[in-house]
Amino acid sequence: MQLSNAYFNNRRLETLVENQTTYTLNNAAMHVFETHQQAEQIMLQFDQPVLASMLSGKKIMHLRDHESFNFLPGESLILPSKEIMCIDFPEAKASNPTRCLAMAISEDKIKQMLQVMNETMPKLDGKEWALMDYNFHFTNDIGLYQILQRLLFLFTENHPSKDLFVDNMLSELIVRILQSNERKIYTEKTLEINNSSRLGYIVSFIRENIYQPLSIETLSKKAHMSESHFYRVFKNELGISPVEFINNERIKLAVSLLQDPKRTIKEVFMECGFESRSYFNRVFKRKKNVSPGEYQANVVREKRY
């Protein structure tokens, strides 16, 4: 993500460690932190729930009840209000500063969006949408990336209607984060929830039968729903279509199988449930930015060294 020229033209660099530039609107405050020298055990805390997203450089995060982890560009972290962060900056320097966006969102705005989602996007299992798992660390998908880039521009723009613009973007941001969190729950905890959740059962069925043809018709029958209703509920809860979810799972399996240099590309795409090599190649390249053959060759080359 890129900071705007307006940000660099107007910000003041008053300290080399966690220099803070803040923009405050009705339902959110955007803080941009810059660190230009190595530092350790810097403490940070916010009074509202926060989406932190790395822009450049590297942090090591230490959170309550969590193992320490690297926080890198393209990743985000959801934090509750009053959460104390302890942060190290092992690589920060003047020529390569660490920059991080922290978006503090009002709890009233989050509650408002939860109410809208529960009224218009009811969950399959009848449970209500609720606050996401806090300390949820994830990689931004393209939708979140574009929203955050837009917010970086809007907060620094001198426009009389920017409060309205930002408020609309915050609504979409909250929905997408909750859907991302739901995907994480269903993909990481499927075995724990599939007995009590129809959608959990479907996710489990997909993963156990990934090598077979999987259609919306088949999955909707398994869920005892019409095709249109199943498609709508699945996408509302997980933020992606059933076909996108299936392809994501198949590509994860393909990445694992391609670690073996003895496997042919044909064996891999057939074991992953793709019907043709051309479709497999197209989906794989879209997800990984290289072809399956290039990916396998890179793996072999790395293992040699």
Side-chain angles (χ1 to χ4, degrees):
M1 284 181 285
Q2 300 294 318
L3 290 162
S4 67
N5 290 333
Y7 167 79
F8 286 108
N9 291 337
N10 296 313
R11 71 93 151 88
R12 292 183 179 179
L13 193 60
E14 298 176 339
T15 175
L16 295 180
V17 178
E18 288 294 67
N19 186 78
Q20 180 176 348
T21 304
T22 296
Y23 305 83
T24 303
L25 295 176
N26 285 340
N27 285 312
M30 186 182 81
H31 312 279
V32 179
F33 292 92
E34 297 183 65
T35 297
H36 292 250
Q37 66 183 30
Q38 292 183 9
E40 292 182 348
Q41 298 185 346
I42 306 302
M43 311 302 287
L44 194 60
Q45 185 182 42
F46 295 94
D47 292 330
Q48 293 179 318
V50 165
L51 166 70
S53 190
M54 284 296 290
L55 304 177
S56 64
K58 171 184 173 181
K59 291 182 179 182
I60 299 177
M61 303 293 292
H62 310 276
L63 303 176
R64 172 176 46 92
D65 301 328
H66 283 70
E67 293 184 5
S68 301
F69 60 91
N70 292 337
F71 195 23
L72 302 171
E75 297 178 349
S76 291
L77 176 67
I78 304 296
L79 294 159
S81 58
K82 309 297 184 182
E83 177 79 6
I84 297 175
M85 294 171 270
C86 180
I87 310 170
D88 299 335
F89 301 86
E91 300 175 359
K93 52 186 178 182
S95 61
N96 185 32
T98 296
R99 293 191 174 102
C100 182
L101 163 72
M103 189 78 63
I105 305 173
S106 77
E107 295 196 30
D108 285 343
K109 177 63 178 178
I110 296 173
K111 290 176 181 176
Q112 174 196 347
M113 285 310 302
L114 287 171
Q115 182 177 348
V116 171
M117 292 175 74
N118 283 318
E119 290 174 355
T120 62
M121 301 164 54
K123 285 190 173 187
L124 186 58
D125 59 9
K127 295 180 181 178
E128 291 198 333
W129 290 96
L131 291 176
M132 68 290 291
D133 288 343
Y134 279 123
N135 298 338
F136 169 33
H137 178 212
F138 59 98
T139 300
N140 300 330
D141 61 21
I142 186 63
L144 282 170
Y145 173 88
Q146 290 176 343
I147 292 171
L148 291 172
Q149 185 66 71
R150 179 69 176 157
L151 285 169
L152 281 169
F153 171 78
L154 289 174
F155 268 93
T156 57
E157 185 188 24
N158 184 21
H159 194 289
S161 301
K162 73 176 182 178
D163 243 319
L164 174 62
F165 299 156
V166 167
D167 202 55
N168 289 334
M169 296 303 296
L170 287 174
S171 297
E172 183 177 352
L173 179 67
I174 292 167
V175 172
R176 286 186 180 271
I177 289 172
L178 287 167
Q179 290 173 331
S180 294
N181 186 61
E182 202 75 4
R183 280 203 302 277
K184 180 191 177 200
I185 291 171
Y186 276 116
T187 54
E188 293 188 1
K189 302 180 181 178
T190 303
L191 295 178
E192 299 175 18
I193 62 178
N194 64 4
N195 290 330
S196 59
S197 162
R198 270 197 286 176
L199 195 50
Y201 167 74
I202 293 301
V203 169
S204 181
F205 178 83
I206 290 171
R207 301 180 86 178
E208 291 170 4
N209 297 274
I210 200 69
Y211 54 91
Q212 296 184 2
L214 293 168
S215 66
I216 301 298
E217 180 184 8
T218 299
L219 297 177
S220 60
K221 285 180 179 177
K222 289 285 181 183
H224 303 289
M225 301 167 66
S226 69
E227 291 184 33
S228 59
H229 184 49
F230 169 76
Y231 183 94
R232 184 170 62 254
V233 169
F234 192 104
K235 193 162 187 178
N236 279 348
E237 287 203 39
L238 302 191
I240 58 176
S241 71
V243 171
E244 289 175 288
F245 183 87
I246 291 166
N247 281 340
N248 286 345
E249 293 298 304
R250 285 177 169 160
I251 295 302
K252 281 194 285 184
L253 176 58
V255 165
S256 175
L257 295 177
L258 288 169
Q259 305 300 311
D260 181 357
K262 295 180 182 179
R263 286 185 185 270
T264 67
I265 303 300
K266 181 178 180 180
E267 288 173 340
V268 171
F269 84 72
M270 292 184 69
E271 286 185 52
C272 295
F274 286 99
E275 295 182 2
S276 71
R277 177 163 180 166
S278 60
Y279 183 58
F280 171 56
N281 285 347
R282 192 161 64 250
V283 174
F284 193 99
K285 193 162 188 176
R286 188 170 69 241
K287 302 287 184 185
K288 297 297 178 182
N289 297 318
V290 294
S291 70
E294 290 170 326
Y295 182 88
Q296 189 177 47
N298 291 338
V299 169
V300 171
R301 192 159 43 245
E302 288 172 6
K303 286 182 177 179
R304 286 176 181 166
Y305 297 99

